[in-house]
Amino acid sequence: MSGGEEIVRIAAKGDGVTASGTHVAGAAPGDRLGEDGAIVPGPHHVMPPCRHFAICGGCQLQHADERALAQFVTDRVVFAAQGQGIEAELVAPAHLSPPRSRRRATLHAARAGKRVAIGFREARSNRMVDMAECHVLRAELFALVEPLRGLLSRWDRLAVDIDLTVTERGIACDIRGIAPDGLAQTEALLDFARDYALARLTVDDGAGPLPQWEPEPATVTLGGVPVALPVGAFLQASQDGEAALVAAARDWLGETKTVADLFSGLGTFALALAGPAKVLAVEAARDAHLANQAAARAHGRPVFAQHRDLFRNPLSAEDLGKFDAVLLDPPRAGAREQVDRIAQSTLSRVVYVSCNPASWARDARRLVETGFTLKELRPVGQFRWSTHVELASLFVR
């Protein structure tokens, strides 16, 4: 490798890449390689704000400035489409969520000698980074880390996962891998929940979550409606990112009279689109389905919630043809079977939200092959400084 090569972009896993295809960890666009292979920082290389960067697996791109981050998010979705022979008529500027905006996270905890270590895992490792600061979590989530150390110090053997979510009533804290053994540990859990005004505290030793504290149902507001948040239910990582994705759906479907919301979850899109539109919300996870259904009924939203596994039993082309549009937001694997039915239907408008550009692009190719055009693509980077990228897209035929 000759000295002086310039980094031209960031690859999917976060490495800088030169024009010749050389991958360099920790490099940003505009950096150059010295004769000894060392990185010579360029105009888009910045000082990472967190002391744990380059060790903690939570962030991969803290060394890149805003422009480089936005370009990375855009490139991830545009290159995925181009890899399937698809060009969007319009690519919107990438939306980046700000620092300290993550409202949910899974932390890990284990004993490290006499101390309880809590944090994210190292990149490509099961080893844990004992968190002393975090620039992606909301402040109220990080503020709970030190108190959690004190709580968990009461357990001698410890290897747990901690799901934290900011709700309307405080933080929901769901701990997997422990159970209270005796009165002292039970009282410690209750004191902790009360002292830190938790919305909910559950523990799970492998047999399922057991409620320890939940004075009132933990709720999140979706589409202006409070919705109960079941343990383990999917929620967009940040309110900022959720707002960007919902705005896209409203822009593209705001005048639509009937919409099928597939993989609807708690109703993030269904409740936002309902009234003027009538929405069929289809979801396989029973708890999420029931939460969406109850919220819509309680607040008079025109949402018909259907409990259905769309992987095993996708909506038929005939049923889909009864709607003016479809919105789908599937898991990372995509929605091949359901997309096949959409392609076979008479639908002319599809909004596809995705957390995986690769599976989205494969599904998008199927739509394009059957007459759809990718009218607009909106890249969303709500996982700040991460290589995890999301998108919203509009297909019309």
Side-chain angles (χ1 to χ4, degrees):
M1 176 174 58
S2 61
E5 278 194 279
E6 182 176 345
I7 303 298
V8 295
R9 63 181 180 87
I10 300 174
K13 294 184 179 180
D15 292 343
V17 183
T18 67
S20 66
T22 301
H23 286 241
V24 183
D31 291 353
R32 304 192 78 86
L33 301 182
E35 293 292 339
D36 59 355
I39 298 171
V40 180
H44 301 297
H45 198 121
V46 296
M47 181 66 69
C50 181
R51 74 184 77 176
H52 302 305
F53 179 66
I55 301 173
C56 177
C59 295
Q60 296 82 41
L61 300 173
Q62 286 190 9
H63 62 288
D65 69 3
E66 291 291 300
R67 181 176 173 182
L69 286 174
Q71 190 61 55
F72 167 78
V73 172
T74 299
D75 287 349
R76 282 291 312 279
V77 298
V78 170
F79 290 169
Q82 291 176 344
Q84 296 292 339
I86 302 169
E87 294 284 348
E89 290 189 3
L90 173 64
V91 179
H95 177 93
L96 298 180
S97 292
R100 296 186 171 93
S101 61
R102 285 276 300 275
R103 65 176 169 184
R104 67 168 174 85
T106 298
L107 303 180
H108 311 286
R111 280 213 168 267
K114 295 183 179 181
R115 178 179 172 81
V116 173
I118 298 179
F120 295 112
R121 299 198 189 281
E122 294 182 14
R124 295 178 291 278
S125 171
N126 286 324
R127 290 177 299 188
M128 194 189 322
V129 175
D130 194 12
M131 182 182 288
E133 62 180 310
C134 184
H135 294 256
V136 295
L137 296 182
R138 281 178 50 162
E140 57 265 53
L141 291 186
F142 180 73
L144 205 60
V145 169
E146 199 59 36
L148 277 165
R149 293 188 207 278
L151 171 68
L152 295 175
S153 67
R154 295 175 175 270
W155 275 261
D156 293 328
R157 301 179 65 182
L158 196 65
V160 305
D161 297 324
I162 309 165
D163 295 329
L164 300 175
T165 307
V166 178
T167 78
E168 303 296 333
R169 301 185 184 279
I171 295 173
C173 178
D174 303 306
I175 306 175
R176 286 172 280 128
I178 63 168
D181 183 13
L183 181 60
Q185 288 183 345
T186 298
E187 289 182 337
L189 289 167
L190 294 174
D191 290 343
F192 176 78
R194 182 183 59 251
D195 292 347
Y196 294 96
L198 298 186
R200 177 177 70 219
L201 175 63
T202 68
V203 296
D204 183 352
D205 63 356
L210 297 175
Q212 305 295 307
W213 173 273
E214 191 172 12
E216 297 182 57
T219 61
V220 291
T221 296
L222 302 172
V225 174
V227 182
L229 179 68
V231 176
F234 174 79
L235 185 69
Q236 293 292 341
S238 71
Q239 288 176 297
D240 173 85
E242 177 188 285
L245 296 170
V246 168
R250 282 175 165 159
D251 288 348
W252 298 330
L253 301 177
E255 303 301 320
T256 307
K257 294 182 179 179
T258 57
V259 177
D261 178 9
L262 310 183
F263 308 96
S264 58
L266 293 170
T268 300
F269 298 103
L271 293 169
L273 295 171
K278 295 180 180 179
V279 181
L280 171 67
V282 185
E283 171 57 39
R286 184 172 178 80
D287 286 350
H289 154 73
L290 292 174
N292 180 17
Q293 182 182 67
R297 286 177 177 174
H299 293 83
R301 294 297 179 91
V303 173
F304 174 73
Q306 183 180 105
H307 184 222
R308 180 171 182 160
D309 185 341
L310 292 169
F311 290 108
R312 296 183 178 181
N313 186 23
L315 259 65
S316 69
E318 181 181 359
D319 287 340
L320 290 164
K322 299 173 184 177
F323 296 90
D324 295 326
V326 159
L327 182 147
L328 66 160
D329 181 14
R332 290 188 60 80
R336 184 179 64 181
E337 295 297 327
Q338 187 60 76
V339 167
D340 279 343
R341 303 303 191 278
I342 292 172
Q344 295 161 9
S345 75
T346 58
L347 278 166
S348 61
R349 181 168 288 253
V350 174
V351 172
Y352 194 145
V353 177
S354 175
C355 60
N356 185 348
S359 63
W360 165 82
R362 291 192 295 269
D363 288 343
R365 180 177 180 179
R366 175 68 172 132
L367 294 176
V368 170
E369 288 174 343
T370 55
F372 282 93
T373 297
L374 178 54
K375 301 294 287 186
E376 187 175 350
L377 185 54
R378 298 190 186 183
V380 176
Q382 69 167 314
F383 288 83
R384 179 79 181 187
W385 294 311
S386 168
T387 55
H388 187 84
V389 171
E390 297 183 295
L391 64 94
S393 57
L394 172 64
F395 295 86
V396 175
R397 68 176 171 186

